[in-house]
Amino acid sequence: MKKFILLFSLAAIILLSGCVSTYMPNVPNVPMFTQKGELSAGGHITPKGNITFNTAYAVSDHFAVVLNGSMLNSERRKRDFRHNLLEAGAGYFTTFGPDNNRILEVYAGYGGGSSDRNEKEEDKETGEMTYNRHEADFSKYFVQVNFTSKKKKSLQLFSREFPLNYGTALRASYVNMHDYKLNNEPAAEEDNIFLEPIFYTRLTLNPSVQLQYTTGTTFGLKNRETLTAAYSVFSVGFVINVGGRNP
């Protein structure tokens, strides 16, 4: 499994390196709920500087609500990129298995955001800079399925054992652009359907705090020029869960 995830990550890096898109995916919300009253909050950051905040609350023993947001403000030599996203949803969760240490979650929701990308190119002979600016708002519908296996293995470090949780999430997102402008002029708007398979590993620091590493990629089902599957999900972050039971 670990070798597969490593190969998957390397392939995604090769395929997506150098690509750009109006849409940048956020880190999926995986609260790993087991009972009513649980609260989950997390923060993650990618190498490109995209910051994701996830929160969730278990309203009942099988029903939960989620709220997610992400933001990026990057200024570089060849490209400036600003991206914002906010989404909300709800869904079902349950535990199963001999020790109830497996968790299945299904969520669906709606969100929206904005994107501002400024491509910069310098003429090698004259040194003159040319710019291509892409501005757009967008809406997003998503459906997500999470599967997690809790505390099957542990990492021994400094004479202590840190339980490890492994899981995967498959998210399907429909993204539709609005008010798209290219160099301040109205341009053809696009939509796309993205499939986003994600793998995550959590290192339990204490009963409430976990360190999470996430890896995954994005596939676009439609051939688009601007709204493409150009970014993967590689991130590190922390997740705080309170009010849950130990399966």
Side-chain angles (χ1 to χ4, degrees):
M1 182 65 176
K2 292 181 179 179
K3 291 183 178 179
F4 172 75
I5 294 175
L6 178 60
L7 291 174
F8 182 86
S9 303
L10 292 175
I13 292 173
I14 293 172
L15 288 173
L16 300 177
S17 60
C19 298
V20 292
S21 174
T22 300
Y23 170 69
M24 177 175 284
N26 56 326
V27 179
N29 196 339
V30 187
M32 291 171 50
F33 284 154
T34 58
Q35 64 180 9
K36 178 182 177 180
E38 282 190 74
L39 177 66
S40 174
H44 311 268
I45 186 168
T46 70
K48 291 185 177 295
N50 191 30
I51 301 174
T52 294
F53 300 98
N54 294 331
T55 59
Y57 179 71
V59 180
S60 70
D61 281 334
H62 293 289
F63 180 78
V65 292
V66 296
L67 179 66
N68 313 316
S70 68
M71 59 183 180
L72 170 69
N73 191 345
S74 174
E75 296 183 1
R76 300 186 179 183
R77 185 174 63 88
K78 293 185 177 182
R79 183 182 304 115
D80 298 334
F81 192 20
R82 283 174 287 276
H83 188 276
N84 298 284
L85 170 66
L86 183 66
E87 60 188 23
Y92 172 86
F93 67 90
T94 187
T95 60
F96 62 97
D99 300 315
N100 277 334
N101 64 348
R102 293 177 175 84
I103 302 172
L104 177 67
E105 301 173 288
V106 181
Y107 297 105
Y110 171 81
S114 62
S115 176
D116 185 346
R117 191 178 82 243
N118 191 23
E119 305 286 345
K120 298 178 285 187
E121 186 175 354
E122 182 179 1
D123 189 291
K124 295 182 179 179
E125 295 183 358
T126 65
E128 183 179 355
M129 296 293 295
T130 58
Y131 301 90
N132 278 315
R133 187 173 183 179
H134 304 258
E135 302 171 88
D137 296 332
F138 60 86
S139 58
K140 173 183 177 182
Y141 297 88
F142 71 91
V143 177
Q144 177 182 327
V145 179
N146 309 331
F147 174 76
T148 307
S149 181
K150 300 188 72 173
K151 299 182 180 179
K152 294 187 66 177
K153 296 182 180 180
S154 296
L155 175 66
Q156 189 166 1
L157 188 64
F158 303 118
S159 301
R160 289 184 56 189
E161 285 195 358
F162 298 90
L164 295 173
N165 304 323
Y166 300 95
T168 184
L170 177 60
R171 182 172 62 189
S173 301
Y174 172 73
V175 180
N176 189 22
M177 294 169 58
H178 307 285
D179 300 323
Y180 175 47
K181 294 181 180 179
L182 176 59
N183 296 326
N184 296 320
E185 295 293 334
E189 298 173 355
E190 298 177 347
D191 67 342
N192 211 333
I193 299 173
F194 298 109
L195 296 181
E196 302 163 319
I198 306 295
F199 302 94
Y200 51 91
T201 300
R202 287 185 181 174
L203 176 70
T204 303
L205 302 179
N206 62 50
S208 298
V209 181
Q210 299 179 73
L211 175 67
Q212 177 171 313
Y213 167 71
T214 308
T215 179
T217 191
T218 304
F219 301 97
L221 300 188
K222 296 184 178 182
N223 185 17
R224 300 302 193 210
E225 292 185 3
T226 303
L227 196 60
T228 61
Y231 297 107
S232 57
V233 177
F234 299 97
S235 69
V236 293
F238 288 91
V239 178
I240 299 174
N241 279 79
V242 294
R245 68 173 185 261
N246 293 320

